[in-house]
C-alpha cells in the first residue's frame, strides 16, 4: 500500500479463438485454461520486474470475435502497448492481426515514433496443425518491423518473453510514465461482477 | 408514348420540379428513364406531395463502417412501412415512380444487400421470405455439417474471403454457394452471416419493440417471461420474424451438437448477442423455448380459438398475430427448404453439453425453479417446462450458492414474498447482462434501465440471501419498484 509504481496498460487483441485468454492467463496466473469460453472482456494486473524496478502491468484481455471490433478503438486509445495474437494453426488469423495493426497505427499516428507492439503466434505445441510457416513469419516481421514470438500457453513456451519484450518497448517509449499509487485491487476482475454499459 | 422526345420530356421534368408541391398527376405518360438522370438536383416528389431530397443511387456501404451501422437510423424511417416505401423509391429519383415497371430499372446497377434495412435487402433478393444472403449461408452451413466444426460462429473465417463474398452478394444479390464447385470455409460463411446481421442498420427486434425485448428478463415468473417474449415476437414484422426464426432454428442445431463443436448455448449467446443486439438472456430464451416463443405449432392449428388463453380480446389478438407470423413463415417454406423443421432444444441435451456451465445458463432462466414451484398448478399448458425444472434442480445440487439462494427464495416465497426471488433474478440477470447486451441501440443501453443501478447493490445483498429470515422483509420493501408490471 502506498508504494509507487509505474503502471503500463497493455491490450491483447486478435481474432476469435486464437488463444488470447490462454496466453494472458498463462502469463498473469501461471496456469493453462483449457475450457472453451469466449471472452467478453477481462482485466489482469501483475507485477513485472524490469531493470530492477517493479512495474505494474495491466493487461486487458479482449473479445476476439469480430463483432466487438467497435470496441477496439477504445482499447487502443487507452493502451500503451499491444499484444497482437494469431494462431499458428490458422493462417487467416494473420489477416486480422494486420488489420488491427493498421488500425493501431492509424489511431496512434499522431503520437509519432514507434508504438510498442508484439506479434504473437499461439498454439505452437500443435505442430501437426501448423499452417503458418516460419518463413511467413520472418517475412512479415521484416515487413512490419515488429517482433514476432511463437508461443504455447499450454506448454508455457515463450509466454513471458512476449510481455517482457513489450514492457521493455513501453519503458523505452514512455520513459516518463508517472509513478502512481498502487491500487489495492483484486488481481483479476471477474467479468461476472461487472456490468458493461455500451 | 415512346414518341415523346427526350427534349420535351426533360422540359416536363423541369416543369414538374419547379412546382414540387403539386403531386404528380397520375396521367403522366411513361417515358424513358434516361433524361431525368441528367438532372440529379430535381427534388423528389412523393405521393404525399412532400419534397424529398434525392439521395445518391447505389451507395455502397463502407466496408469498415461498423460505426455507421451502429447509429440509429434517422427518426423518420422508424415505421417499417415507411422504410419499405423508401426502399422501393430509392431506385429512381422519384419520377413516374408509380408508372415505372421494375423491368425498366437497369438491371446492371447492383443494389447492396449488406448494410441496408432488412426490407430493402429482401427487396433485392429473397428466398422463402429470407434475404437471399441469409438463406444461402444457412443452407450452406446446414449442408456442409457446420455443426460439426469446432468453434463455429466463434472462430473467425478469413476476412478476405468474407469480404469477397460480401462484395459478390452486394453485386449479384444472390449467390448460390452450393452450386459453385468452390469450397468455402464454414467459418467464413458463418462470418459472412454474422457480418450481414451485424450491419443491419436497425435492430432486428425493431426500434419500437427493442426496449420491451430488453426488459423481458425482468419478469420474475418464467411463464410470464415466455408469454411476454412470445407476444413480442408475434408483434414483429414478418420479415424480422422469419429471419429470427430461421436463424434460431439453425442455431439450435449448433447448440445440440455442442459436444462436438463446443458452442454451448452460452457461447452461442455470447457471440450472437452483440451481433444481433439481443441480450444474451433473451437470446437463450429464444433458443431454449423456441417452439413456444415463435408459436411454431400455431401455423398448423386451425384458426378458431381453441387455445384456452384466448379469453381476453387482446390475447386473442396476440394469438392470431402469432399464428399469422408463424403461418406466413410456414407458407414461405423456409423450414422445408433449409431442413430446419422440427427443431427444438432438449433440456437434457443442453445440460449435458454444458458441463460446468449450467450455472451461467441458469442465470437467464434463473428463477424458473422457485417460481414454478409456486404456481405449478396454474400452468396446465406447459410443454417443456417440467423438463427444465428437473434440470434446474439437478444442476442446483452441484453448487452451494444457487441451492441456498433458491432455498432462501423458496422460504421467502412461502411467506408471500415473491420478491426475494425477483431481487436475485435481477442480480443474476445483471450478471447475464455483464455480457454486453447490445452495442447497437445506444439509447437502449444507456437509458435508465431498472437493472443497471442495481448491480453494486446486488453484490452487497448476496450474503444476506443466505439468511432468508432477515433478508426477505428487507427485499420485500423493494418490491414495488422491482417487479415489472
Amino acid at each position: 500500500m502506498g508504494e509507487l509504481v509505474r503502471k503500463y496498460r497493455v491490450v491483447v487483441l486478435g481474432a476469435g479463438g486464437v488463444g488470447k485468454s490462454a496466453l494472458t492467463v498463462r502469463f498473469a496466473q501461471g496456469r493453462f485454461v483449457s475450457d472453451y469460453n469466449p471472452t467478453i472482456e477481462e482485466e489482469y494486473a501483475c507485477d513485472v520486474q524490469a531493470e530492477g524496478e517493479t512495474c505494474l502491468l495491466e493487461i486487458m484481455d479482449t473479445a476476439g470475435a469480430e463483432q466487438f471490433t467497435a470496441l477496439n478503438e477504445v482499447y487502443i486509445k487507452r493502451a500503451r502497448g499491444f499484444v497482437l495474437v494469431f494462431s499458428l494453426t490458422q493462417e487467416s488469423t494473420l489477416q486480422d492481426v494486420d488489420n488491427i495493426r493498421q488500425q493501431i497505427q492509424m489511431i496512434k499516428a499522431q503520437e509519432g515514433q514507434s508504438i510498442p507492439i508484439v506479434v504473437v503466434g499461439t498454439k505452437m505445441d500443435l505442430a501437426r496443425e501448423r499452417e503458418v510457416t516460419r518463413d511467413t513469419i520472418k517475412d512479415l516481421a521484416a515487413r512490419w518491423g515488429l517482433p514476432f514470438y511463437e508461443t504455447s500457453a499450454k506448454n508455457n513456451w515463450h509466454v513471458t518473453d512476449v510481455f517482457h519484450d513489450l514492457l521493455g518497448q513501453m519503458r523505452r517509449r514512455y520513459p516518463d510514465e508517472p509513478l502512481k499509487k498502487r491500487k489495492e485491487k483484486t488481481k483479476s476482475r471477474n467479468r461476472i461482477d461487472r456490468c458493461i454499459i455500451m | 408514348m415512346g414518341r415523346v422526345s427526350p427534349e420535351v420530356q426533360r422540359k416536363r421534368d423541369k416543369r414538374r420540379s419547379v412546382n414540387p408541391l403539386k403531386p404528380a398527376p397520375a396521367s403522366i405518360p411513361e417515358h424513358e428513364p434516361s433524361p431525368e438522370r441528367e438532372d440529379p438536383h430535381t427534388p423528389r416528389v412523393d405521393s404525399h406531395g412532400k419534397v424529398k431530397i434525392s439521395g445518391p443511387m447505389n451507395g455502397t456501404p463502407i466496408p469498415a463502417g461498423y460505426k455507421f451501422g451502429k447509429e440509429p437510423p434517422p427518426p423518420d424511417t422508424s415505421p417499417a412501412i415507411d422504410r419499405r416505401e423508401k426502399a422501393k423509391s430509392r431506385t429512381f429519383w422519384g419520377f413516374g415512380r408509380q408508372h415505372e415497371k421494375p423491368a425498366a430499372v437497369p438491371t446492371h446497377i447492383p443494389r447492396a444487400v449488406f448494410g441496408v434495412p432488412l426490407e430493402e435487402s429482401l427487396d433485392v433478393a429473397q428466398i422463402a421470405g429470407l434475404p437471399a444472403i441469409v438463406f444461402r449461408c444457412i443452407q450452406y452451413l446446414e449442408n456442409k455439417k457446420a455443426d460439426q466444426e469446432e468453434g463455429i460462429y466463434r472462430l473467425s473465417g478469413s476476412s478476405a474471403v468474407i469480404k469477397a463474398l460480401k462484395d459478390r452478394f452486394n453485386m449479384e444479390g444472390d449467390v448460390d454457394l452450393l452450386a459453385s464447385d468452390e469450397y468455402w470455409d464454414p467459418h467464413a460463411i458463418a462470418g459472412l452471416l454474422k457480418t450481414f446481421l451485424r450491419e443491419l442498420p436497425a435492430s432486428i427486434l425493431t426500434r419500437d419493440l427493442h426496449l420491451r425485448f430488453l426488459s423481458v428478463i425482468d419478469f420474475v415468473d418464467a411463464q410470464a417471461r415466455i408469454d411476454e417474449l412470445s407476444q413480442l415476437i408475434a408483434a414483429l414484422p414478418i420479415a424480422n420474424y422469419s429471419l429470427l426464426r430461421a436463424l434460431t432454428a439453425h442455431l439450435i442445431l449448433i447448440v445440440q451438437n455442442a459436444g462436438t463443436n463446443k458452442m454451448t448455448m452460452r457461447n452461442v449467446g455470447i457471440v450472437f448477442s452483440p451481433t444481433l443486439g439481443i441480450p444474451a438472456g433473451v437470446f437463450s430464451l429464444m433458443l431454449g423455448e423456441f417452439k413456444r416463443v415463435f408459436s411454431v405449432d400455431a401455423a398448423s392449428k386451425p384458426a378458431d380459438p381453441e387455445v384456452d388463453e384466448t379469453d381476453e380480446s387482446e390475447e386473442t389478438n396476440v394469438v392470431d398475430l402469432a399464428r399469422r407470423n408463424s403461418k406466413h413463415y410456414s407458407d414461405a417454406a423456409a423450414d422445408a427448404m433449409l431442413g430446419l423443421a422440427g427443431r427444438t432444444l432438449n433440456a437434457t441435451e443442453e445440460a449435458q453439453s454444458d458441463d460446468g456451465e449450467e450455472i451461467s445458463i441458469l442465470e437467464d432462466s434463473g428463477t424458473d425453479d422457485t417460481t414454478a414451484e409456486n404456481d405449478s398448478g396454474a400452468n396446465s399448458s406447459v410443454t417443456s417446462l417440467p423438463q427444465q425444472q428437473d434440470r434446474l434442480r439437478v444442476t442446483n445440487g452441484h453448487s452451494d450458492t444457487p441451492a441456498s439462494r433458491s432455498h432462501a427464495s423458496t422460504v421467502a416465497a412461502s411467506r408471500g414474498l415473491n420478491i426475494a426471488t425477483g431481487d436475485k433474478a435481477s442480480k443474476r440477470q445483471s450478471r447475464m447482462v455483464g455480457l454486453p447486451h447490445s452495442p447497437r441501440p445506444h439509447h437502449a443501453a444507456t437509458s435508465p434501465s431498472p437493472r443497471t443501478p442495481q448491480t453494486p447493490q446486488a453484490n452487497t445483498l448476496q450474503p444476506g440471501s443466505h439468511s432468508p429470515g432477515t433478508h426477505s422483509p428487507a427485499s420485500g420493501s423493494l418490491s414495488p419498484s422491482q417487479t415489472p408490471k
Side-chain angles (χ1 to χ4, degrees), chain B residues 292-464:
Chain B
R292 282 200 282 167
V293 296
F294 283 93
S295 310
V296 170
D297 297 326
S300 50
K301 280 180 197 158
D304 61 49
E306 64 166 36
V307 190
D308 298 342
E309 324 134 35
T310 52
D311 307 344
E312 301 158 50
S313 60
E314 196 191 325
E315 286 274 305
T316 318
N317 216 346
V318 166
V319 171
D320 283 347
L321 222 64
R323 190 173 286 136
R324 193 201 58 198
N325 261 347
S326 195
K327 182 94 169 50
H328 272 292
Y329 179 83
S330 306
D331 289 348
D335 275 358
M337 291 171 78
L338 291 169
L340 301 174
R343 292 269 166 90
T344 177
L345 256 194
N346 194 326
T348 46
E349 266 172 87
E350 172 60 26
Q352 280 168 0
S353 62
D354 253 299
D355 296 334
E357 295 178 355
E358 294 95 326
I359 292 155
S360 26
I361 285 169
L362 285 185
E363 281 161 15
D364 49 75
S365 50
T367 53
D368 288 13
D369 47 355
T370 46
T371 46
E373 275 166 23
N374 290 332
D375 44 27
S376 50
N379 311 319
S380 50
S381 63
V382 255
T383 47
S384 65
L385 195 61
Q387 278 180 334
Q388 204 184 355
Q389 285 172 23
D390 287 346
R391 183 188 112 221
L392 291 169
R393 267 188 224 111
V394 170
T395 49
N396 276 346
H398 288 316
S399 106
D400 302 332
T401 13
S404 57
R405 255 189 227 143
S406 58
H407 174 68
S409 39
T410 322
V411 172
S414 68
R415 301 178 187 180
L417 288 167
N418 209 3
I419 241 24
T421 327
D423 195 3
K424 255 156 268 133
S426 57
K427 173 178 177 291
R428 287 176 184 181
Q429 159 258 68
S430 73
R431 291 171 153 196
M432 206 53 203
V433 175
L435 307 177
H437 53 243
S438 154
R440 224 171 1 204
H442 226 79
H443 60 281
T446 47
S447 72
S449 120
R451 64 188 104 90
T452 322
Q454 283 176 18
T455 319
Q457 180 196 21
N459 278 335
T460 56
L461 280 176
Q462 190 181 10

Side-chain angles (χ1 to χ4, degrees), chain B residues 110-126:
Chain B
R111 287 174 63 193
V113 294
F114 278 79
V116 300
L118 181 56
E119 291 79 12
E120 201 174 324
S121 186
L122 281 164
D123 213 32
V124 178
Q126 61 172 298

Side-chain angles (χ1 to χ4, degrees), chain A residues 49-65:
Chain A
Q49 296 284 338
E51 298 157 29
E53 191 189 334
T54 305
C55 300
L56 183 68
L57 269 191
E58 274 189 8
I59 307 170
M60 178 68 87
D61 181 19
T62 64

Side-chain angles (χ1 to χ4, degrees), chain B residues 182-205:
Chain B
E182 260 178 292
Y183 171 81
W184 307 103
D185 177 15
H187 297 290
I189 303 299
L192 183 70
L193 179 55
K194 280 201 299 180
T195 306
F196 173 82
L197 297 170
R198 198 167 51 242
E199 291 185 0
L200 283 174
S203 163
I204 191 176
L205 307 177

